[in-house]
Amino acid sequence: MRRFPRLPAVGPLREGFWRSPLRGPWLASLLSSALLPLIAVCAVTGFISHLAYQPQLGSNAIFNGPGPGNGFDLYGLGWPTSPAWLYAATQGLHVVSGIAAIPILLAKLWTVLPKLFENPPVLSVAHALERLSLVLLVGGGLFTIATGVINIQLWYPFGFPFVPAHYYGAILFVAALVLHVALKLPLMLRVFRERGWLRPLRDDLAHTRPEPGVPGVVTSAPAAAAAPTLTRRALVAGVGASSVGLGAMAAGQVVGGPLNDLALLAPRGRRGAGPNAFPVNKTFAAVGIPRDRVGSGWRLELRGGGASPTRLGRAELLGMPQTHATLPIACVEGWSTTQHWTGVRLLELARLAGVEDPETLEVRSLQPHGRLARVTLNRGQVQDDHALLALRVNGVDLSLDHGYPARVIVPALPGVHCTKWVGELVFA
Ligand SMILES: Nc1nc2c(c(=O)[nH]1)N[C@H]1C(S)=C(S)[C@@H](COP(=O)(O)O)O[C@H]1N2
Ligand SMILES: [Mo]
């Protein structure tokens, strides 16, 4: 009974077009079993990052208006301030696992590529639906990883905003992946049971045989295989080495150290020399703040209880009790950098603004445009002992690139919310 027609057997649709003897369900399963834990870590830490942004708080909204995603607050508590390295760790894991997954994902797609040209293309309604879900799986996966990588390059060739696109792409991808795993797990377990998890890696070239298919299942195993030119272990070792290598290079940007300069896919460099020589995401020159707005005429405006704002210059702020804290800036791009900051506690400034017990703080930058011009912190973040309006770093004044005259530093706050060039603090 053949209810669904065959396409003409031409080009890649022809049985026998795909000849690599290494392709097949065992190789696909092995690569999947390496890919799945990496993707799980990447997905969980990705959704954690969304939580850490606190899009439900006022100016943090990522989507226009109170759309889905903005109300996402798992604990109802907001993001914590302890341990201080929390976001550096979760976002570091996100970027390292995502980058390490790339070579394995590409190898997996290479392995199953013949299945794209299955002929007949559709065997049943269920089979059609399953193949349709693969469009979301492959499309969503490639889209999410590609947008992540080019975001790290600060390259936005597309006409849509990165965060919602990456977020919704990830949701589609994870949903399709859950379905895919549920559908394929039995086959994977069967293949490992029959062929062993790693046993085929032992074969030298002379013993490398084409992978057999599985009776009754359409697989990527070749119908007519060519002679092997590569062992399975060479293929797997090459993919594994690429994955570990790329992952280690990205990890250099998270933990620092000699690998730091090798992070080709995470290229945030240091700037200059001296106490201010640590990575800069957006330079002062890039944001378009007029030079005279950060000169001697700069005043911090504090708003809250009273009708009129309180204004303080840098000298007055430096005359207040100073707090010291060694804290990381942890960027969404995965890199982090721990520095020694000095400044005035945000809670101290709240009291000057006439707010004893601030619920939230909206930080306004002098920066004229962009989502980072206004950022909102939760109660725990404003009231933390080490939540600072930093004036100095490593014993010297902040450089312009690091936010002079003043910037926000709060333990475990995502780097993107550590506002530079602060102009106004609005306590509520
Ligand atoms: N006003 C403003 N503040 C900002 C940014 C910005 O673009 N504008 N970038 C943020 C991001 S994404 C990060 S990771 C940190 C980087 O701080 P640094 O350049 O001092 O290392 O600053 C944050 N503060
Ligand atoms: Mo960042």
Side-chain angles (χ1 to χ4, degrees):
M1 180 194 74
R2 172 163 286 140
R3 291 193 292 138
F4 293 90
R6 223 171 225 292
L7 295 174
V10 291
L13 291 167
R14 187 164 47 80
E15 220 178 33
F17 178 88
W18 302 98
R19 290 166 55 86
S20 171
L22 301 190
R23 284 202 181 92
W26 173 83
L27 184 61
S29 299
L30 182 75
L31 294 168
S32 300
S33 62
L35 205 45
L36 200 56
L38 286 176
I39 291 181
V41 168
C42 193
V44 168
T45 50
F47 291 119
I48 286 177
S49 176
H50 192 69
L51 219 119
Y53 269 70
Q54 306 184 128
Q56 79 280 4
L57 283 188
S59 58
N60 295 354
I62 288 170
F63 309 95
N64 291 328
N70 279 338
F72 199 67
D73 180 4
L74 266 191
Y75 320 118
L77 303 170
W79 186 246
T81 53
S82 169
W85 45 262
L86 183 64
Y87 191 73
T90 63
Q91 198 58 16
L93 275 176
H94 180 66
V95 170
V96 170
S97 59
I99 287 180
I102 294 173
I104 309 176
L105 179 65
L106 294 178
K108 170 83 198 268
L109 291 175
W110 173 82
T111 306
V112 298
L113 188 57
K115 295 195 44 156
L116 185 60
F117 302 96
E118 257 181 78
N119 198 1
V122 167
L123 296 172
S124 65
V125 174
H127 181 240
L129 289 177
E130 188 204 326
R131 295 203 71 193
L132 215 55
S133 79
L134 293 177
V135 175
L136 291 184
L137 182 71
V138 177
L142 290 177
F143 178 83
T144 308
I145 288 199
T147 49
V149 168
I150 62 184
N151 177 60
I152 298 174
Q153 318 305 313
L154 297 179
W155 181 44
Y156 303 100
F158 34 71
F160 47 78
F162 164 73
V163 175
H166 193 64
Y167 181 66
Y168 283 129
I171 289 174
L172 287 182
F173 173 53
V174 168
L177 183 62
V178 168
L179 179 67
H180 182 67
V181 170
L183 290 173
K184 294 296 187 186
L185 199 60
L187 179 62
M188 179 169 165
L189 295 177
R190 173 174 168 190
V191 166
F192 282 152
R193 208 165 41 238
E194 283 169 12
R195 312 210 54 205
W197 182 39
L198 297 175
R199 207 179 326 127
L201 295 178
R202 292 195 205 133
D203 303 336
D204 61 15
L205 197 58
H207 293 90
T208 298
R209 308 253 176 274
E211 214 189 291
V214 175
V217 183
V218 182
T219 72
S220 52
T229 55
L230 190 72
T231 59
R232 293 194 167 80
R233 63 179 173 234
L235 177 72
V236 169
V239 172
S242 316
S243 168
V244 170
L246 281 178
M249 288 180 342
Q253 291 239 331
V254 182
V255 295
L259 285 174
N260 216 336
D261 297 332
L262 283 179
L264 303 176
L265 294 180
R268 205 63 58 241
R270 284 156 199 280
R271 305 228 165 202
N276 272 286
F278 54 92
V280 171
N281 189 317
K282 269 288 177 54
T283 59
F284 179 72
V287 292
I289 301 172
R291 191 70 173 70
D292 59 329
R293 293 206 56 200
V294 296
S296 56
W298 175 81
R299 294 287 177 277
L300 174 71
E301 288 197 9
L302 301 175
R303 293 173 197 273
S308 57
T310 306
R311 291 196 175 79
L312 299 171
R314 238 184 92 93
E316 289 162 287
L317 288 165
L318 284 166
M320 294 172 63
Q322 301 293 298
T323 298
H324 306 272
T326 301
L327 294 173
I329 297 238
C331 183
V332 65
E333 299 155 12
W335 60 265
S336 46
T337 176
T338 298
Q339 307 296 336
H340 187 69
W341 310 91
T342 306
V344 182
R345 282 188 62 194
L346 294 177
L347 196 53
E348 195 80 33
L349 296 169
R351 288 181 183 142
L352 278 183
V355 182
E356 281 301 314
D357 183 13
E359 225 15 80
T360 61
L361 163 61
E362 184 177 298
V363 182
R364 298 181 181 167
S365 174
L366 298 174
Q367 182 179 342
H369 322 282
R371 213 160 45 73
L372 299 186
R374 292 182 176 197
V375 157
T376 306
L377 308 185
N378 71 25
R379 184 169 193 272
Q381 288 167 334
V382 190
Q383 304 208 3
D384 191 273
D385 284 343
H386 287 150
L388 303 183
L389 183 73
L391 305 164
R392 294 163 63 81
V393 64
N394 302 322
V396 301
D397 285 346
L398 291 172
S399 68
L400 269 180
D401 283 342
H402 287 303
Y404 181 91
R407 77 171 304 164
V408 165
I409 293 289
V410 174
L413 186 67
V416 65
H417 285 174
C418 295
T419 307
K420 305 198 270 194
W421 315 293
V422 172
E424 266 175 75
L425 298 177
V426 184
F427 297 93

Coordinates of all heavy atoms in Angstrom, one line a residue, residues 237-302:
A237 N 36.8 12.1 16.9 CA 37.9 12.9 17.6 C 38.0 14.3 17.0 O 38.2 15.3 17.8 CB 39.2 12.1 17.4
G238 N 37.9 14.4 15.7 CA 38.0 15.8 15.1 C 36.9 16.7 15.6 O 37.1 17.8 16.0
V239 N 35.6 16.1 15.6 CA 34.5 16.9 16.1 C 34.7 17.2 17.6 O 34.5 18.4 18.0 CB 33.2 16.1 15.8 CG1 32.0 16.8 16.5 CG2 32.9 15.9 14.4
G240 N 35.1 16.2 18.3 CA 35.3 16.4 19.8 C 36.3 17.5 20.1 O 36.2 18.4 20.9
A241 N 37.5 17.4 19.3 CA 38.5 18.4 19.5 C 38.1 19.8 19.2 O 38.4 20.8 19.9 CB 39.8 18.0 18.7
S242 N 37.3 19.9 18.1 CA 36.8 21.3 17.8 C 35.9 21.8 18.9 O 36.0 23.0 19.2 CB 36.0 21.2 16.5 OG 36.6 20.5 15.5
S243 N 35.0 20.9 19.4 CA 34.1 21.3 20.4 C 34.8 21.7 21.7 O 34.6 22.8 22.2 CB 33.1 20.2 20.7 OG 32.4 20.4 21.8
V244 N 35.8 20.9 22.1 CA 36.5 21.2 23.4 C 37.4 22.5 23.2 O 37.4 23.3 24.0 CB 37.4 20.0 23.8 CG1 38.3 20.4 24.9 CG2 36.5 18.8 24.2
G245 N 38.0 22.6 22.0 CA 38.8 23.7 21.7 C 38.0 25.0 21.7 O 38.4 26.0 22.4
L246 N 36.9 25.0 21.0 CA 36.1 26.3 20.9 C 35.6 26.6 22.3 O 35.6 27.7 22.8 CB 34.9 26.1 20.0 CG 35.2 26.3 18.5 CD1 34.0 26.0 17.7 CD2 35.8 27.7 18.2
G247 N 35.1 25.6 23.0 CA 34.5 25.8 24.4 C 35.6 26.3 25.3 O 35.3 27.2 26.1
A248 N 36.8 25.8 25.2 CA 37.9 26.2 26.1 C 38.3 27.7 25.8 O 38.5 28.5 26.7 CB 39.1 25.3 26.0
M249 N 38.2 28.0 24.6 CA 38.6 29.4 24.2 C 37.5 30.4 24.7 O 37.8 31.4 25.3 CB 38.7 29.5 22.7 CG 40.0 28.9 22.2 SD 40.4 28.9 20.5 CE 39.0 29.3 19.6
A250 N 36.3 30.0 24.6 CA 35.2 30.8 25.2 C 35.3 30.9 26.7 O 35.1 31.9 27.3 CB 33.8 30.3 24.8
A251 N 35.7 29.7 27.3 CA 35.8 29.7 28.8 C 36.9 30.6 29.3 O 36.8 31.2 30.4 CB 36.1 28.2 29.2
G252 N 37.9 30.9 28.4 CA 38.9 31.8 28.8 C 38.4 33.2 29.1 O 38.9 33.9 30.0
Q253 N 37.3 33.6 28.4 CA 36.7 34.9 28.7 C 35.9 34.9 29.9 O 35.5 36.0 30.4 CB 35.9 35.3 27.5 CG 36.7 35.6 26.3 CD 36.5 37.0 25.8 OE1 35.4 37.6 25.9 NE2 37.5 37.5 25.1
V254 N 35.5 33.7 30.4 CA 34.7 33.7 31.6 C 35.6 33.7 32.8 O 35.4 34.5 33.8 CB 33.8 32.4 31.7 CG1 32.9 32.4 32.9 CG2 33.0 32.3 30.4
V255 N 36.6 32.9 32.8 CA 37.4 32.7 34.0 C 38.7 33.5 33.9 O 39.5 33.6 34.9 CB 37.8 31.3 34.3 CG1 36.5 30.5 34.7 CG2 38.4 30.6 33.2
G256 N 39.0 34.1 32.8 CA 40.3 34.8 32.6 C 41.4 33.9 32.3 O 41.2 32.7 32.1
G257 N 42.6 34.4 32.4 CA 43.8 33.5 32.2 C 44.2 33.5 30.8 O 43.7 34.3 29.9
P258 N 45.2 32.7 30.5 CA 45.9 32.8 29.2 C 45.0 32.5 28.0 O 45.3 32.9 26.9 CB 47.0 31.7 29.3 CG 46.6 30.8 30.4 CD 45.8 31.7 31.3
L259 N 43.9 31.7 28.2 CA 43.0 31.4 27.0 C 42.2 32.7 26.6 O 41.6 32.7 25.5 CB 42.1 30.3 27.4 CG 42.7 28.9 27.4 CD1 41.7 27.9 27.9 CD2 43.2 28.5 26.0
N260 N 42.2 33.7 27.5 CA 41.4 34.9 27.2 C 41.6 35.4 25.8 O 40.6 35.8 25.1 CB 41.8 35.9 28.2 CG 40.6 36.8 28.7 OD1 39.6 36.8 27.9 ND2 40.7 37.4 29.8
D261 N 42.8 35.5 25.4 CA 43.1 36.2 24.1 C 42.8 35.3 22.9 O 42.9 35.7 21.8 CB 44.6 36.6 24.0 CG 44.9 37.6 25.1 OD1 43.9 38.4 25.5 OD2 46.0 37.7 25.6
L262 N 42.5 34.0 23.2 CA 42.2 33.1 22.1 C 40.7 33.0 21.7 O 40.4 32.2 20.8 CB 42.7 31.7 22.5 CG 44.2 31.4 22.4 CD1 44.5 30.0 22.9 CD2 44.7 31.7 21.0
A263 N 39.9 33.7 22.5 CA 38.5 33.5 22.3 C 38.0 34.1 21.0 O 37.5 35.2 21.0 CB 37.7 34.0 23.5
L264 N 38.2 33.4 19.9 CA 37.9 33.9 18.6 C 36.4 34.3 18.4 O 36.1 35.2 17.7 CB 38.3 32.9 17.5 CG 39.8 32.5 17.6 CD1 40.0 31.4 16.5 CD2 40.7 33.7 17.3
L265 N 35.6 33.5 19.0 CA 34.1 33.7 18.9 C 33.6 34.6 20.0 O 32.4 34.8 20.1 CB 33.4 32.4 18.8 CG 33.6 31.5 17.6 CD1 32.8 30.2 17.7 CD2 33.3 32.3 16.3
A266 N 34.5 35.1 20.8 CA 34.1 36.0 21.9 C 35.1 37.1 22.1 O 35.9 37.1 23.1 CB 33.9 35.2 23.2
P267 N 35.2 38.0 21.2 CA 36.3 38.8 21.0 C 36.4 40.1 21.8 O 36.8 41.1 21.2 CB 36.4 39.1 19.5 CG 34.9 39.2 19.2 CD 34.2 38.3 20.2
R268 N 35.9 40.1 23.0 CA 35.9 41.4 23.7 C 37.2 41.6 24.3 O 37.6 41.0 25.3 CB 34.8 41.4 24.8 CG 34.3 42.8 25.2 CD 33.6 43.6 24.0 NE 32.5 42.9 23.5 CZ 32.4 42.5 22.3 NH1 33.4 42.7 21.4 NH2 31.4 41.8 21.8
G269 N 38.0 42.6 23.8 CA 39.4 42.7 24.2 C 39.5 43.7 25.4 O 38.6 44.3 25.8
R270 N 40.8 43.8 25.9 CA 41.1 44.8 26.9 C 41.4 46.1 26.2 O 41.7 46.1 25.0 CB 42.3 44.4 27.7 CG 42.0 43.3 28.7 CD 43.2 42.5 29.1 NE 42.6 41.3 29.7 CZ 42.2 41.2 30.9 NH1 42.3 42.3 31.7 NH2 41.7 40.1 31.4
R271 N 41.4 47.2 26.9 CA 41.7 48.5 26.2 C 42.8 49.2 27.0 O 42.7 49.4 28.2 CB 40.5 49.4 26.2 CG 39.3 48.8 25.6 CD 38.7 49.7 24.6 NE 37.7 48.9 23.7 CZ 37.4 49.2 22.5 NH1 37.8 50.4 22.0 NH2 36.6 48.5 21.9
G272 N 43.9 49.5 26.3 CA 44.9 50.2 26.9 C 45.6 49.5 28.1 O 45.6 48.3 28.1
A273 N 46.3 50.3 28.9 CA 47.0 49.7 30.1 C 46.6 50.4 31.3 O 45.9 51.4 31.3 CB 48.5 49.9 29.9
G274 N 46.9 49.9 32.5 CA 46.6 50.5 33.8 C 45.3 50.0 34.4 O 44.7 49.1 33.9
P275 N 44.9 50.7 35.5 CA 43.8 50.2 36.3 C 42.5 50.1 35.5 O 41.6 49.4 35.9 CB 43.7 51.3 37.4 CG 44.9 52.0 37.4 CD 45.5 52.0 36.1
N276 N 42.3 50.9 34.5 CA 41.1 50.8 33.7 C 41.1 49.9 32.5 O 40.2 49.9 31.7 CB 40.7 52.2 33.2 CG 39.9 53.0 34.2 OD1 38.7 52.7 34.4 ND2 40.5 53.9 34.9
A277 N 42.2 49.1 32.4 CA 42.4 48.2 31.3 C 41.7 46.9 31.5 O 42.3 45.9 31.8 CB 43.9 48.0 31.0
F278 N 40.4 46.9 31.4 CA 39.6 45.7 31.4 C 38.5 45.9 30.3 O 38.3 47.0 29.8 CB 39.0 45.3 32.7 CG 38.2 46.4 33.4 CD1 36.9 46.5 33.3 CD2 38.9 47.4 34.2 CE1 36.1 47.5 33.9 CE2 38.1 48.4 34.9 CZ 36.7 48.4 34.7
P279 N 37.9 44.8 29.9 CA 37.0 44.8 28.7 C 36.0 45.9 28.7 O 35.4 46.2 29.7 CB 36.4 43.5 28.6 CG 37.3 42.6 29.3 CD 37.9 43.4 30.4
V280 N 35.7 46.5 27.5 CA 34.7 47.5 27.4 C 33.7 47.0 26.3 O 34.1 46.5 25.3 CB 35.3 48.8 26.9 CG1 34.2 49.8 26.5 CG2 36.2 49.4 27.9
N281 N 32.4 47.1 26.6 CA 31.5 46.7 25.6 C 31.1 47.8 24.7 O 31.4 47.8 23.5 CB 30.2 46.2 26.4 CG 29.2 45.5 25.4 OD1 29.0 46.0 24.3 ND2 28.7 44.4 25.8
K282 N 30.5 48.9 25.2 CA 30.3 50.1 24.4 C 31.2 51.2 24.9 O 31.3 51.5 26.1 CB 28.8 50.5 24.7 CG 27.8 50.0 23.8 CD 27.8 50.6 22.5 CE 26.7 49.9 21.6 NZ 25.4 50.0 22.2
T283 N 31.9 51.8 24.0 CA 32.8 52.8 24.4 C 32.0 54.1 24.5 O 30.9 54.3 24.0 CB 33.9 53.1 23.3 OG1 33.2 53.4 22.1 CG2 34.8 51.8 23.2
F284 N 32.6 55.1 25.2 CA 32.0 56.4 25.4 C 31.8 57.0 24.0 O 30.7 57.6 23.7 CB 32.9 57.3 26.2 CG 32.4 58.7 26.4 CD1 31.3 58.9 27.2 CD2 33.0 59.8 25.7 CE1 30.8 60.2 27.4 CE2 32.4 61.1 25.9 CZ 31.4 61.3 26.7
A285 N 32.7 56.9 23.1 CA 32.6 57.5 21.8 C 31.4 56.9 21.0 O 30.8 57.6 20.3 CB 33.9 57.3 21.0
A286 N 31.1 55.6 21.3 CA 30.1 54.9 20.5 C 28.7 55.3 20.9 O 27.8 55.2 20.1 CB 30.2 53.4 20.7
V287 N 28.4 55.8 22.1 CA 27.0 56.1 22.5 C 26.6 57.5 22.3 O 25.4 57.8 22.4 CB 26.8 55.8 24.0 CG1 26.9 54.3 24.3 CG2 27.8 56.6 24.9
G288 N 27.5 58.4 21.9 CA 27.1 59.7 21.4 C 26.6 60.7 22.6 O 25.7 61.5 22.4
I289 N 27.3 60.6 23.7 CA 27.0 61.6 24.8 C 27.9 62.8 24.6 O 29.1 62.6 24.4 CB 27.3 61.0 26.2 CG1 26.4 59.7 26.4 CG2 27.0 62.0 27.3 CD1 26.7 59.0 27.7
P290 N 27.4 64.0 24.5 CA 28.3 65.1 24.3 C 29.3 65.2 25.4 O 29.0 65.0 26.6 CB 27.3 66.3 24.3 CG 26.0 65.8 24.1 CD 26.0 64.4 24.6
R291 N 30.5 65.5 25.1 CA 31.6 65.5 26.1 C 31.4 66.4 27.3 O 31.7 66.1 28.4 CB 32.9 66.0 25.3 CG 34.2 65.8 26.0 CD 34.6 64.3 26.2 NE 35.9 64.1 26.7 CZ 36.2 64.4 28.0 NH1 35.3 64.8 28.8 NH2 37.5 64.1 28.4
D292 N 30.7 67.6 27.0 CA 30.5 68.5 28.1 C 29.5 68.1 29.2 O 29.5 68.6 30.3 CB 30.2 69.9 27.6 CG 28.9 69.9 26.8 OD1 28.6 68.8 26.2 OD2 28.1 70.9 26.8
R293 N 28.7 67.1 28.8 CA 27.7 66.6 29.8 C 28.4 65.7 30.9 O 27.8 65.5 32.0 CB 26.6 65.8 29.1 CG 25.8 66.7 28.2 CD 24.5 66.2 28.0 NE 23.7 65.9 29.2 CZ 22.6 65.2 29.3 NH1 22.2 64.5 28.2 NH2 22.0 65.0 30.4
V294 N 29.6 65.3 30.7 CA 30.3 64.5 31.7 C 31.5 65.3 32.3 O 32.4 64.7 33.0 CB 30.8 63.1 31.2 CG1 29.6 62.3 30.8 CG2 31.7 63.3 30.0
G295 N 31.5 66.6 32.1 CA 32.6 67.5 32.6 C 32.3 67.9 34.0 O 31.5 67.3 34.7
S296 N 32.9 69.1 34.4 CA 32.7 69.6 35.8 C 31.3 70.0 36.1 O 30.9 70.1 37.2 CB 33.7 70.7 36.0 OG 33.5 71.7 35.1
G297 N 30.5 70.2 35.1 CA 29.1 70.6 35.3 C 28.2 69.5 35.5 O 27.0 69.7 35.8
W298 N 28.7 68.2 35.5 CA 27.8 67.0 35.7 C 27.2 67.1 37.1 O 27.9 67.3 38.1 CB 28.6 65.8 35.5 CG 27.9 64.5 35.8 CD1 27.0 63.9 35.0 CD2 27.9 63.7 37.0 NE1 26.5 62.7 35.6 CE2 27.1 62.6 36.9 CE3 28.6 63.9 38.2 CZ2 26.9 61.7 37.9 CZ3 28.5 62.9 39.3 CH2 27.6 61.8 39.1
R299 N 25.9 66.8 37.2 CA 25.3 66.7 38.5 C 24.4 65.4 38.5 O 23.7 65.2 37.5 CB 24.3 67.8 38.8 CG 25.1 69.2 39.0 CD 25.8 69.2 40.4 NE 26.5 70.4 40.5 CZ 27.7 70.7 40.0 NH1 28.4 69.8 39.3 NH2 28.3 71.8 40.2
L300 N 24.5 64.6 39.5 CA 23.7 63.4 39.7 C 22.3 63.9 40.2 O 22.3 64.6 41.2 CB 24.3 62.4 40.7 CG 23.4 61.2 41.0 CD1 23.3 60.3 39.8 CD2 24.0 60.5 42.2
E301 N 21.2 63.6 39.6 CA 19.9 63.9 40.1 C 19.3 62.8 40.8 O 19.2 61.6 40.2 CB 19.0 64.3 38.9 CG 19.4 65.7 38.3 CD 18.3 66.3 37.5 OE1 17.1 65.7 37.5 OE2 18.5 67.3 36.8
L302 N 18.9 63.0 42.0 CA 18.2 62.0 42.8 C 16.7 62.3 42.9 O 16.4 63.4 43.3 CB 18.8 61.9 44.2 CG 20.3 61.6 44.3 CD1 20.8 61.7 45.7 CD2 20.6 60.2 43.7

